[in-house]
Amino acid sequence: ELSTFDVTLTSQCRPSCVAAASILNALEYLRQRLGDAKIPPGVGDAFESNAINMVPGNPDETADEINKARQCLRQLCPPESLDAWPGGWNDLGNKDMEEPPKDQ
Protein backbone atom coordinates (compact mmCIF):
# COMPACT_ATOMS: atom_id res chain seq x y z
CA GLU A 1 0.00 0.00 0.00
CA LEU A 2 2.85 2.36 0.75
CA SER A 3 4.16 2.05 -2.81
CA THR A 4 0.91 3.51 -4.17
CA PHE A 5 0.82 6.44 -1.75
CA ASP A 6 2.95 8.87 -3.76
CA VAL A 7 3.25 9.37 -7.50
CA THR A 8 7.06 9.08 -7.37
CA LEU A 9 6.82 5.78 -5.56
CA THR A 10 4.11 4.54 -7.91
CA SER A 11 5.73 5.56 -11.17
CA GLN A 12 9.45 5.17 -10.49
CA CYS A 13 9.84 2.41 -7.90
CA ARG A 14 8.81 -1.21 -7.72
CA PRO A 15 6.85 -2.17 -4.59
CA SER A 16 9.70 -4.45 -3.50
CA CYS A 17 12.11 -1.48 -3.65
CA VAL A 18 9.71 0.63 -1.59
CA ALA A 19 9.50 -2.16 0.98
CA ALA A 20 13.30 -2.44 1.15
CA ALA A 21 13.59 1.36 1.37
CA SER A 22 11.14 1.43 4.29
CA ILE A 23 13.12 -1.18 6.19
CA LEU A 24 16.42 0.59 5.53
CA ASN A 25 14.98 3.94 6.61
CA ALA A 26 13.73 2.31 9.82
CA LEU A 27 17.22 0.90 10.42
CA GLU A 28 18.72 4.33 9.78
CA TYR A 29 16.28 5.86 12.28
CA LEU A 30 17.25 3.31 14.93
CA ARG A 31 20.95 3.85 14.27
CA GLN A 32 20.48 7.59 14.77
CA ARG A 33 18.49 7.14 17.95
CA LEU A 34 20.40 4.29 19.55
CA GLY A 35 23.83 5.02 18.17
CA ASP A 36 26.01 2.65 16.23
CA ALA A 37 27.28 1.21 19.52
CA LYS A 38 23.99 -0.68 19.91
CA ILE A 39 24.34 -2.28 16.46
CA PRO A 40 27.44 -4.46 16.11
CA PRO A 41 30.02 -3.13 13.64
CA GLY A 42 29.27 -4.10 10.07
CA VAL A 43 25.86 -5.61 10.82
CA GLY A 44 23.89 -2.58 9.62
CA ASP A 45 25.92 -2.30 6.43
CA ALA A 46 25.65 -6.03 5.76
CA PHE A 47 21.89 -5.86 6.31
CA GLU A 48 21.63 -2.98 3.84
CA SER A 49 23.63 -4.88 1.25
CA ASN A 50 21.50 -8.00 1.75
CA ALA A 51 18.29 -5.97 1.42
CA ILE A 52 19.45 -4.60 -1.92
CA ASN A 53 20.48 -8.06 -3.14
CA MET A 54 17.12 -9.60 -2.14
CA VAL A 55 15.25 -7.46 -4.67
CA PRO A 56 15.29 -9.07 -8.12
CA GLY A 57 17.16 -7.28 -10.90
CA ASN A 58 20.50 -5.66 -11.52
CA PRO A 59 21.96 -4.77 -8.08
CA ASP A 60 23.23 -1.35 -9.24
CA GLU A 61 19.87 -0.38 -10.76
CA THR A 62 18.05 -1.79 -7.74
CA ALA A 63 20.25 0.22 -5.37
CA ASP A 64 19.46 3.39 -7.34
CA GLU A 65 15.75 2.62 -7.22
CA ILE A 66 15.86 1.89 -3.48
CA ASN A 67 17.76 5.13 -2.85
CA LYS A 68 15.15 7.06 -4.84
CA ALA A 69 12.41 5.45 -2.75
CA ARG A 70 14.31 6.21 0.47
CA GLN A 71 14.57 9.89 -0.46
CA CYS A 72 10.87 10.05 -1.27
CA LEU A 73 9.95 8.32 1.98
CA ARG A 74 12.18 10.70 3.97
CA GLN A 75 10.24 13.62 2.47
CA LEU A 76 6.89 12.00 3.22
CA CYS A 77 7.89 11.00 6.74
CA PRO A 78 10.98 12.80 8.05
CA PRO A 79 12.76 10.96 10.89
CA GLU A 80 12.07 13.76 13.37
CA SER A 81 8.32 13.35 12.79
CA LEU A 82 8.55 9.75 14.00
CA ASP A 83 9.49 10.93 17.49
CA ALA A 84 6.09 12.55 17.92
CA TRP A 85 4.07 9.49 16.84
CA PRO A 86 2.62 7.11 19.42
CA GLY A 87 5.25 4.43 19.84
CA GLY A 88 7.99 6.80 18.67
CA TRP A 89 11.24 7.48 20.47
CA ASN A 90 9.64 9.50 23.25
CA ASP A 91 6.96 6.87 23.90
CA LEU A 92 9.47 4.03 24.25
CA GLY A 93 10.53 5.07 27.72
CA ASN A 94 13.36 7.20 26.40
CA LYS A 95 12.17 10.58 27.61
CA ASP A 96 15.01 10.83 30.13
CA MET A 97 17.68 9.70 27.69
CA GLU A 98 19.59 12.31 25.84
CA GLU A 99 18.70 12.19 22.18
CA PRO A 100 21.66 11.78 19.84
CA PRO A 101 22.47 14.65 17.50
CA LYS A 102 20.24 14.66 14.42
CA ASP A 103 23.19 15.40 12.10
CA GLN A 104 25.01 12.05 12.56
Side-chain angles (χ1 to χ4, degrees):
E1 292 177 11
L2 183 58
S3 65
T4 63
F5 185 76
D6 182 85
V7 69
T8 300
L9 294 174
T10 303
S11 65
Q12 298 179 18
C13 303
R14 293 172 285 164
S16 56
C17 287
V18 175
S22 299
I23 292 167
L24 294 175
N25 281 3
L27 178 62
E28 178 181 68
Y29 173 78
L30 289 174
R31 283 173 125 175
Q32 289 174 348
R33 292 296 180 254
L34 300 176
D36 286 329
K38 301 286 184 180
I39 299 174
V43 171
D45 295 332
F47 183 85
E48 185 170 343
S49 178
N50 287 336
I52 290 169
N53 290 326
M54 286 188 321
V55 178
N58 176 307
D60 291 332
E61 292 173 5
T62 298
D64 290 343
E65 194 173 335
I66 289 173
N67 285 331
K68 187 181 296 184
R70 290 184 75 185
Q71 287 294 81
C72 185
L73 291 170
R74 282 185 195 112
Q75 290 176 352
L76 291 171
C77 185
E80 45 287 341
S81 71
L82 297 174
D83 296 334
W85 287 13
W89 180 258
N90 293 330
D91 284 349
L92 293 174
N94 299 309
K95 290 180 181 168
D96 296 331
M97 287 181 66
E98 181 179 327
E99 287 197 37
K102 306 251 189 233
D103 294 72
Q104 282 186 348

